[in-house]
Amino acid sequence: MRGVKTQIYLDWNATAPLRPEAAEAISATLARCGNPSSVHRWGRAARQAVEQARHAVAALLATPPEGIIFVSGGTEANHLALLGPGRDRVLVSAVEHDSVLRAVPEAEPIPVDRNGVVELDALDRLLAADRTPALVSVMLANNETGVMQPAAEIGRIARMHGALFHCDAAQAAGKITLDAGAIGADLMTLSAHKLGGPSGVGALAVMGDVELTALLRGGGQEQGRRAGTENSPGIAGFAAAARAAAEQIGTYDRIRELRDALEACVAAVAPEAVVVGAAAPRLPNTTAVAMPGVAAETQVIALDLDGVMVSAGAACSSGKVGPSHVLQAMGVGPDIARSTIRVSLGWATSDADVGHFLEAWTALYRRCCRQKPRAHAA
């Protein structure tokens, strides 16, 4: 069996490597003792560190720090946003993350067009048809395709009908500049590990005076909105990653150029290849590309053997492989859906990394698509 000569990580949308600034902050916090709820000096020092972190995370959204609620990650933030306000009616886009779709299984789906963008007229009609107090949940950027939503317009429509607007920004944070005021959301989700912080910590940003019923009850932590002793090391790492991400946001101009060059090379090698959502605004680091006729799982395994790590466009659940609900909602045909992989770049991705991917992808294409035996004439 041949050894892997190099390791190229192109699965940044799944999780980003821990930033050195975050690792240093975590280590420093672990070296100290103190419960942020304690009133003695060690407790007060821990509380001060958490509040400083709250300011750093709030700055990533350009929102007041008092609205930041620290939680265990994006999934908990989404659940608190969807269930905490107690709205009787919930509408979610058809391309949301499973942590949104499964939080409220009975939620009404908002259709998307062939590019995966929410149909604004449909949202307007859905809200107008029923005056029940509603909550609308639409992600800022899709984790599979990178397609971005017209969040400001969605927020405007929601407000016009008296609905709350929740925006899951976990995938967008750290890759584009965020402004909660411009987005117009009442609630926004962040996840530390998507931008170079540790796993197991995230935040829900609450704008204005939205009332939330806590899902976890006990102590009065996080302004009574989320009980449990704060994860001080994780929060410190989250804050350090947020600061670094904000300072280095310009890096993604280079990443966009790399992503665009990757797609151009793929098209030159395989004209029949499809980049899903390419006609819509997208995150600068993400491409969902299909090699028709070659299963996504086959591509992922073959690329991994060549030292390149990417994700399949199909979701695995309970050991069963099925088509991506995102691609289905976009109306992508089954052959393309089955053969779509996600390639996601990050701040440390180099020209050489992309070049290695293209070399491995091209070799796979030539093996699987150029050398298929022709059918014999009858």
Side-chain angles (χ1 to χ4, degrees):
M1 180 178 177
R2 60 175 177 169
V4 175
K5 296 180 180 179
T6 188
Q7 297 184 51
I8 306 300
Y9 186 69
L10 298 179
D11 198 20
W12 290 67
N13 284 9
T15 193
L18 188 68
R19 291 179 184 266
E21 298 91 342
E24 183 178 349
I26 293 167
S27 179
T29 306
L30 286 171
R32 299 191 294 268
C33 179
N35 186 317
S37 296
S38 298
V39 297
H40 51 63
R41 66 186 62 191
W42 283 7
R44 294 197 304 274
R47 169 55 55 194
Q48 183 180 26
V50 168
E51 296 311 314
Q52 289 173 345
R54 204 181 307 278
H55 278 76
V57 172
L60 198 63
L61 295 174
T63 194
E66 57 268 22
I68 299 295
I69 305 170
F70 287 119
V71 295
S72 66
T75 293
E76 185 185 343
N78 284 340
H79 277 67
L80 181 57
L82 289 158
L83 302 175
R87 291 290 172 114
D88 294 329
R89 188 181 180 213
V90 177
L91 299 88
V92 304
S93 88
V95 296
E96 292 303 303
H97 190 274
D98 277 342
S99 61
V100 167
L101 296 177
R102 297 190 180 188
V104 187
E106 68 278 11
E108 300 172 46
I110 309 165
V112 298
D113 64 20
R114 297 191 69 83
N115 290 311
V117 177
V118 161
E119 295 182 356
L120 297 175
D121 289 345
L123 172 61
D124 189 29
R125 289 194 300 271
L126 285 167
L127 290 172
D130 185 344
R131 295 298 180 182
T132 302
L135 181 145
V136 173
S137 181
V138 179
M139 60 187 7
L140 186 56
N142 188 264
N143 51 299
E144 291 188 30
T145 64
V147 168
M148 297 183 62
Q149 300 292 346
E153 275 299 294
I154 292 168
R156 183 189 65 79
I157 292 170
R159 286 191 298 276
M160 186 171 65
H161 294 282
L164 293 177
F165 174 34
H166 165 243
C167 185
D168 180 351
Q171 201 58 248
K175 301 180 181 108
I176 60 172
T177 300
L178 300 178
D179 184 332
I183 291 170
D186 300 288
L187 303 151
M188 291 185 72
T189 291
L190 294 175
S191 178
H193 77 101
K194 299 295 188 182
L195 50 80
S199 299
V201 61
L204 180 66
V206 183
M207 273 61 75
D209 57 354
V210 177
E211 292 187 9
L212 291 176
T213 298
L215 303 184
L216 300 179
R217 302 179 180 91
Q221 294 92 345
E222 296 304 293
Q223 304 166 58
R225 290 164 157 172
R226 200 274 185 182
T229 300
E230 292 91 345
N231 173 9
S232 297
I235 289 170
F238 188 4
R243 293 188 194 97
E247 292 169 359
Q248 300 166 23
I249 200 73
T251 301
Y252 278 87
D253 292 335
R254 176 183 66 83
I255 296 304
R256 183 187 298 278
E257 293 177 358
L258 272 181
R259 190 274 311 275
D260 291 349
L262 182 155
E263 292 179 351
C265 289
V266 163
V269 170
E272 70 272 32
V274 176
V275 176
V276 180
R282 290 179 296 159
L283 290 175
N285 77 313
T286 307
T287 183
V289 61
M291 185 189 293
V294 183
E297 291 76 18
T298 299
Q299 296 179 58
V300 169
I301 293 169
L303 290 170
D304 189 50
L305 290 173
D306 265 334
V308 180
M309 291 166 274
V310 299
S311 288
C316 296
S317 178
S318 302
K320 297 181 180 179
V321 177
S324 159
H325 73 275
V326 172
L327 302 187
Q328 284 186 318
M330 295 169 67
V332 174
D335 182 48
I336 299 299
R338 283 193 297 266
S339 61
T340 298
I341 62 171
R342 179 186 67 189
V343 183
S344 50
L345 287 56
W347 64 82
T349 303
S350 67
D351 290 29
D353 293 338
V354 171
H356 190 91
F357 165 80
L358 288 168
E359 181 181 343
W361 191 91
T362 299
L364 175 62
Y365 169 75
R366 288 173 176 163
R367 288 198 305 271
C368 295
C369 299
R370 287 283 186 86
Q371 298 179 7
K372 287 183 179 178
R374 296 181 180 178
H376 294 290

